[in-house]
Structure formats: structure tokens, C-alpha cells
Amino acid sequence: SISIGVLTSGGDAQGMNAAVRAVVRSALNLGVAVHAIFEGYQGMVDGGDRIRSLSWDDVGSILHRGGTIIGTARCPVFREREGRLAAARNLLRHGIDRLVVIGGDGSLTGANLFRQEWASLVAELVERGDIDELTAQRHSALMITGLVGSIDNDMVGTDMTIGADSALHRIVEAIDAITSTAASHQRTFVVEVMGRHCGYLALMSAIAGGADYVLIPESPPSENWEQEMCDLLRNGRAAGRRDSIVVVAEGACDNAGGPISSDRVRQVLQDRLGEDTRVTILGHVQRGGTPSAFDRCMSTLVGHAAVQELLSATPTSEPQMVGMRYNRVRQAPLMQCVEQTHAVARKIAEHDYAKAMELRGSSFTE
Ligand code: ADP
């Protein structure tokens, strides 16, 4: 009999619960047992009651909740072979050799490494007398399917990641709130949003929130951006605009690759416009709260598709990541997506923005 394990790992994101619920119920619907692994890879390494089989009702009333009810963690020992050996032993105790991993590029890289090492881990467990030959034969391969949980929307191969839409909603609500107080006092606000290598949240929230200026990592402003920004804001004021909002992604950089911090923007505005300027760093507010309708729907669809993909996987098939392309659920080779995501970050660091955007837009599905 087949048993699937599901875990959430790395940074939490709204919609993870909807994905877990969809994985559990899709599996049960197909007569497949499913175990939750609590606290990410840490629960896999620790075993015991951190690996529990789930019933239909166990995932009731979680669809609308933010975060992840099965917990997430960073787990340094999983980076070591010894940790992964313990994890393999604990999975085999429950007959689990198929995993749905919901996490960011780090978690998915770890899952792939685990998969590649699996045969040798199993052999070592037999040698140690931890498992018998029959168990080893039955579970000679580990199969994995990835779902991307990340509010940054920073993964190549999917148009949206789980949590990005909810985070965008949260930011737009915050910008709306700030706009009303800014307008009352005719103040200027600098709003810093998450996104180290990806300006999605900053760009989309600037459009949806009607901001005056936006700074993102992928498209550094022209050399004299400080003057340009100040002129824009000054003209806005002259035209009767009462509020001025500048959105800054945390990874924003200037033409020379130097970081543009929200405080630097504030200082420029204060010095050149002589206006009372405040910084609001939204921080973890962006991760919190209820998932948007879109995140609930998308997570449900990709969770369901992940189970189907995992059940059709074979020991030799390439692991897949399930996401969205052109508004359709699509799968793509997991490691190609992760590697290309890293390549995008490298190109941004090298200021080769055109290449970065070309790589980000590439698709492995057509
Ligand atoms: P994210 O999945 O959001 O990118 P991290 O990069 O922190 O978050 O990864 C989450 C966890 O995944 C780590 O704490 C570690 O247990 C595991 N992990 C990440 N990278 C690797 C790796 N290269 N090898 C093994 N495990 C890894």
C-alpha cells in the first residue's frame, strides 16, 4: 500500500493550509494513506509523534487560516547526511516513500538531494539493522513533488507562488491605510515591502495602490533617479495631490548595484523636498492573516494535482514541481526550475537584468 507524506518547510505563506488540505483529501479520496510531517524537515528527523497519519476531518476548518497548521521550521541537521539518514528511517517506519514538499527553493533543493541519496541511505539502514531487506526492497526509491510556498513570487516555472497574492492584498490594504493618513497631513511615505530578488510585490502593490514611485531589484532606476523621483513628487503636489507614496522592495538597488534602502529614499525626499517623510516597513504583516480567495483556490488546485503527479511518478521519472502557467495548472521539472531561479538571482547580482528577465520568463512546460 502507498503512503504519502506532506510537509511545509522554510518561510510560511498564506495558502499552505489549503494546499495541505487538498493533498490530504485528494489522497484519501484515491484510497491512499497520508501522513503529515510536522515542523518541516525537523519533524522528519525527529520522528515520533511529529509524523502522524491524517484523516479527512483533521484538515477541516483550516482552509481559511493563514500560516501552516502542520508547522514549519528551518532545520540545519537536514543539511547533513546524518540528519537525512534519521529522516529516511522515520519515513520508512510509516511506509512513506512519496513526499509532497511545500516550500521555497531551499526546501525543494533539500528534497531533491534526499531523493538522490535515498538508495544509499536505505542501504545503510539495512546494514545497521534498522530496517529489514523486505522494507528496503519495497521502498527502494523516494518520489517527490514540489509546491512552491513563497510570498515573494520568485520561482521560475510558475506564474504565481502560494502566498504571493495574499501578501499583495495585505500590502495594498496597508498602502490604502497609509494613503489616507498621508493625505490628511500632506505627508510623504516610503513603504518597504518584501522581495529580495523579486520585485513582484513592490511593483504590483505600487500599481494597485496608486503609488508615485517604485524601486525594484530587476530594474534599477536611471542614474539621476533621486532628482527624477523628487521632480515627480513635487509636480504631483503642485497638481494638488495630497499624499505621496514611494514603494521600495527590500532588494532594490541603484544603477551601480548599491542597495537602495527605504531610509535612503526617506533621506533624499526629506533633504530635497523639505517634506516630513516617514518610513513604514511592513515586515511580517505581509506573511500573516487569512489567505486570499485566489490563494485558497490555486493551492487547492495545485495540491490536488501534486497528489496525481506523485502517484503517477516512477522511481526513474524526473521530480516535478506543480504550479500555474497562463492560468492553468502545469507541472515543470523541479530542479530545472530551482536552478533557473538561482540563475536569475545571479544575473540580477551581476546587473545583467535583460538576461535575468529572459531566464525568469522561460518555461519548461511547452
Ligand atoms: P525556503 O524553502 O523557504 O527557501 P530555506 O532555504 O531556509 O527556506 O530551507 C528550509 C529548510 O530546507 C532548511 O532549513 C533545510 O532543512 C532544508 N534545506 C535547504 N537547503 C538545503 C540543502 N541544500 N540541502 C539539504 N537541505 C536543505
Side-chain angles (χ1 to χ4, degrees):
S1 65
I2 299 173
S3 191
I4 289 180
V6 59
L7 71 151
T8 51
S9 172
D12 69 315
Q14 309 96 324
M16 280 182 161
N17 283 328
V20 169
R21 171 179 172 275
V23 167
V24 170
R25 290 188 171 177
S26 298
L28 293 175
N29 198 42
L30 293 166
V32 173
V34 54
H35 288 77
I37 297 152
F38 288 75
E39 319 304 336
Y41 291 120
Q42 193 62 52
M44 212 187 270
V45 172
D46 294 345
D49 69 351
R50 290 190 158 185
I51 302 179
R52 295 205 289 273
S53 89
L54 291 185
S55 68
W56 191 272
D57 292 338
D58 287 331
V59 290
S61 308
I62 67 168
L63 182 59
H64 59 283
R65 287 168 62 182
T68 163
I69 62 143
I70 61 173
T72 181
R74 312 266 179 208
C75 175
V77 286
F78 193 76
R79 291 175 186 272
E80 313 298 327
R81 185 184 158 89
E82 205 51 36
R84 295 191 292 273
L85 188 68
R89 187 192 305 118
N90 288 325
L91 290 186
L92 289 176
R93 241 173 228 157
H94 298 277
I96 301 167
D97 58 12
R98 290 172 203 251
L99 291 177
V100 177
V101 179
I102 308 169
D105 57 341
S107 303
L108 298 175
T109 303
N112 188 56
L113 182 63
F114 192 36
R115 180 189 72 89
Q116 289 169 330
E117 243 180 17
W118 182 263
S120 89
L121 295 172
V122 168
E124 190 170 337
L125 291 172
V126 172
E127 223 168 84
R128 289 185 174 203
D130 287 347
I131 60 168
D132 56 37
E133 281 287 351
L134 190 63
T135 306
Q137 274 166 24
R138 261 198 207 132
H139 305 289
S140 59
L142 176 72
M143 283 154 276
I144 61 171
T145 299
L147 294 178
V148 193
S150 163
I151 66 164
D152 290 352
N153 202 19
D154 52 358
M155 182 69 78
V156 173
T158 184
D159 292 341
M160 285 297 274
T161 56
I162 294 171
D165 184 67
S166 303
L168 179 57
H169 275 273
R170 203 103 316 122
I171 295 166
V172 171
E173 274 166 19
I175 291 178
D176 287 349
I178 288 167
T179 300
S180 64
T181 169
S184 306
H185 294 272
Q186 298 211 39
R187 268 193 190 125
T188 303
F189 273 85
V190 179
V191 180
E192 183 183 309
V193 306
M194 284 185 174
R196 257 190 284 276
H197 306 290
C198 186
Y200 175 84
L201 290 176
L203 185 58
M204 295 303 156
S205 66
I207 293 170
D212 298 81
Y213 206 78
V214 60
L215 293 150
I216 58 172
E218 299 95 324
S219 178
S222 64
E223 221 159 288
N224 64 338
W225 68 273
E226 296 175 333
Q227 196 53 49
E228 185 190 278
M229 174 180 71
C230 291
D231 289 345
L232 268 167
L233 264 58
R234 196 182 289 113
N235 292 344
R237 282 270 191 255
R241 200 175 157 109
R242 293 185 60 86
D243 56 274
S244 302
I245 310 274
V246 176
V247 178
V248 184
E250 63 181 336
C253 4
D254 62 22
N255 218 263
I260 300 181
S261 69
S262 45
D263 201 57
R264 176 172 162 196
V265 177
R266 184 195 63 79
Q267 199 65 54
V268 168
L269 294 171
Q270 186 122 349
D271 292 349
R272 300 198 186 191
L273 295 177
E275 282 199 19
D276 188 14
T277 307
R278 308 288 169 96
V279 172
T280 300
I281 297 174
L282 295 180
H284 282 76
V285 163
Q286 296 163 88
R287 281 187 192 286
T290 61
S292 67
F294 177 87
D295 267 325
R296 297 180 202 190
C297 294
M298 183 189 75
S299 302
T300 299
L301 294 176
V302 296
H304 174 72
V307 170
Q308 292 185 313
E309 166 54 32
L310 197 54
L311 293 178
S312 66
T314 67
T316 53
S317 60
E318 202 177 347
Q320 302 289 307
M321 179 188 101
V322 178
M324 305 288 292
R325 292 291 283 184
Y326 310 119
N327 237 2
R328 291 280 181 278
V329 176
R330 286 280 182 275
Q331 64 193 48
L334 177 68
M335 286 322 289
Q336 246 171 291
C337 295
V338 170
E339 277 153 24
Q340 195 111 328
T341 299
H342 294 161
V344 169
R346 268 199 309 277
K347 287 295 163 199
I348 290 175
E350 292 165 10
H351 318 308
D352 189 350
Y353 304 104
K355 187 70 188 168
M357 289 309 92
E358 186 194 319
L359 292 175
R360 185 178 283 167
S362 57
S363 165
F364 309 106
T365 51
E366 276 85 22

Coordinates of all heavy atoms in Angstrom, one line a residue, residues 9-11 41 73-76 78-79 84 103-110 113 149, ligand 1:
S9 N 7.7 23.7 4.7 CA 9.1 23.9 5.1 C 9.6 25.3 4.7 O 9.0 25.9 3.7 CB 10.0 22.9 4.5 OG 11.4 23.1 4.7
G10 N 10.5 25.9 5.4 CA 11.0 27.2 5.1 C 10.1 28.3 5.6 O 9.3 28.0 6.5
G11 N 10.1 29.4 4.9 CA 9.2 30.5 5.3 C 7.7 30.1 5.1 O 7.4 29.5 4.1
Y41 N 11.3 19.7 7.9 CA 12.3 18.6 7.9 C 12.7 18.2 9.4 O 13.1 17.1 9.7 CB 13.6 19.0 7.2 CG 13.3 19.0 5.7 CD1 13.5 20.2 5.0 CD2 12.9 17.9 5.0 CE1 13.3 20.3 3.6 CE2 12.6 17.9 3.6 CZ 12.8 19.1 2.9 OH 12.6 19.2 1.6
A73 N 9.8 24.9 9.8 CA 11.0 25.2 10.6 C 12.2 25.3 9.7 O 12.1 24.8 8.6 CB 11.2 24.1 11.7
R74 N 13.2 25.9 10.1 CA 14.5 25.7 9.4 C 15.1 24.5 10.2 O 15.0 24.4 11.4 CB 15.4 27.0 9.6 CG 14.6 28.3 9.3 CD 14.8 28.7 7.9 NE 14.0 30.0 7.7 CZ 13.5 30.4 6.5 NH1 13.7 29.6 5.5 NH2 12.9 31.5 6.4
C75 N 15.8 23.7 9.4 CA 16.4 22.5 10.0 C 17.8 22.3 9.6 O 18.0 21.6 8.5 CB 15.5 21.3 9.7 SG 16.1 19.7 10.3
P76 N 18.8 22.8 10.3 CA 20.2 22.7 9.9 C 20.6 21.2 9.8 O 21.4 20.9 8.8 CB 21.0 23.4 11.0 CG 20.0 24.3 11.6 CD 18.6 23.6 11.5
F78 N 19.2 18.7 8.7 CA 18.8 18.0 7.4 C 19.8 18.3 6.3 O 19.8 17.6 5.3 CB 17.3 18.5 7.0 CG 16.7 17.6 6.0 CD1 16.3 16.4 6.2 CD2 16.7 18.1 4.6 CE1 15.7 15.6 5.2 CE2 16.1 17.3 3.6 CZ 15.6 16.0 3.9
R79 N 20.6 19.3 6.5 CA 21.6 19.6 5.5 C 22.8 18.6 5.6 O 23.6 18.5 4.7 CB 22.2 21.0 5.8 CG 21.1 22.1 5.4 CD 21.7 23.5 5.7 NE 20.7 24.5 5.5 CZ 20.5 25.2 4.4 NH1 21.2 24.9 3.3 NH2 19.5 26.1 4.3
R84 N 19.6 13.3 7.4 CA 18.8 12.7 6.3 C 18.6 11.2 6.5 O 17.6 10.6 6.2 CB 19.3 13.1 4.9 CG 19.3 14.6 4.6 CD 19.6 14.9 3.2 NE 20.9 14.6 2.8 CZ 22.0 15.5 2.9 NH1 21.7 16.7 3.5 NH2 23.2 15.1 2.6
G103 N 7.3 24.3 -0.1 CA 8.3 25.2 0.5 C 9.0 26.1 -0.6 O 8.5 26.1 -1.7
G104 N 10.0 26.8 -0.2 CA 10.7 27.6 -1.2 C 11.9 26.8 -1.9 O 11.9 25.6 -1.7
D105 N 12.7 27.5 -2.5 CA 13.8 26.9 -3.3 C 14.7 26.1 -2.4 O 15.2 25.0 -2.8 CB 14.6 27.9 -4.2 CG 15.2 29.0 -3.4 OD1 14.8 29.2 -2.3 OD2 16.1 29.6 -3.9
G106 N 15.0 26.5 -1.2 CA 15.8 25.8 -0.3 C 15.2 24.4 0.1 O 15.9 23.4 0.0
S107 N 14.0 24.4 0.5 CA 13.3 23.2 0.8 C 13.2 22.2 -0.3 O 13.4 21.0 -0.1 CB 11.9 23.5 1.3 OG 11.9 24.5 2.3
L108 N 13.0 22.8 -1.5 CA 12.9 21.9 -2.7 C 14.2 21.3 -3.1 O 14.3 20.2 -3.5 CB 12.2 22.6 -3.8 CG 10.8 23.1 -3.5 CD1 10.2 24.0 -4.7 CD2 9.8 22.0 -3.2
T109 N 15.3 22.1 -2.9 CA 16.6 21.6 -3.2 C 17.0 20.5 -2.2 O 17.5 19.4 -2.6 CB 17.7 22.7 -3.0 OG1 17.3 23.8 -3.9 CG2 19.1 22.3 -3.3
G110 N 16.6 20.7 -0.9 CA 16.8 19.6 0.1 C 16.1 18.4 -0.2 O 16.6 17.3 -0.1
L113 N 17.9 16.5 -3.0 CA 19.1 15.9 -2.5 C 18.8 14.6 -1.8 O 19.4 13.5 -2.0 CB 19.8 16.8 -1.6 CG 21.2 16.4 -1.0 CD1 22.2 16.1 -2.0 CD2 21.7 17.4 0.0
G149 N 5.8 27.4 -1.9 CA 5.2 28.3 -0.9 C 6.2 29.5 -0.7 O 7.3 29.3 -0.2
Ligands
ADP1 P1 13.0 28.0 1.7 O1 12.5 26.7 1.5 O2 11.9 29.0 2.1 O3 13.9 28.5 0.6 P2 15.3 27.6 3.5 O4 16.3 27.9 2.4 O5 15.6 28.1 4.8 O6 13.8 28.0 3.1 O7 15.2 26.0 3.6 C1 14.4 25.3 4.5 C2 15.0 24.1 5.0 O8 15.2 23.2 3.9 C3 16.4 24.2 5.6 O9 16.3 24.6 7.0 C4 17.0 22.8 5.5 O10 16.4 21.9 6.4 C5 16.4 22.4 4.1 N1 17.4 22.7 3.1 C6 17.6 23.9 2.4 N2 18.6 23.8 1.5 C7 19.1 22.6 1.6 C8 20.2 21.8 1.0 N3 20.9 22.4 0.1 N4 20.4 20.6 1.4 C9 19.6 20.0 2.3 N5 18.6 20.6 2.9 C10 18.3 21.9 2.6

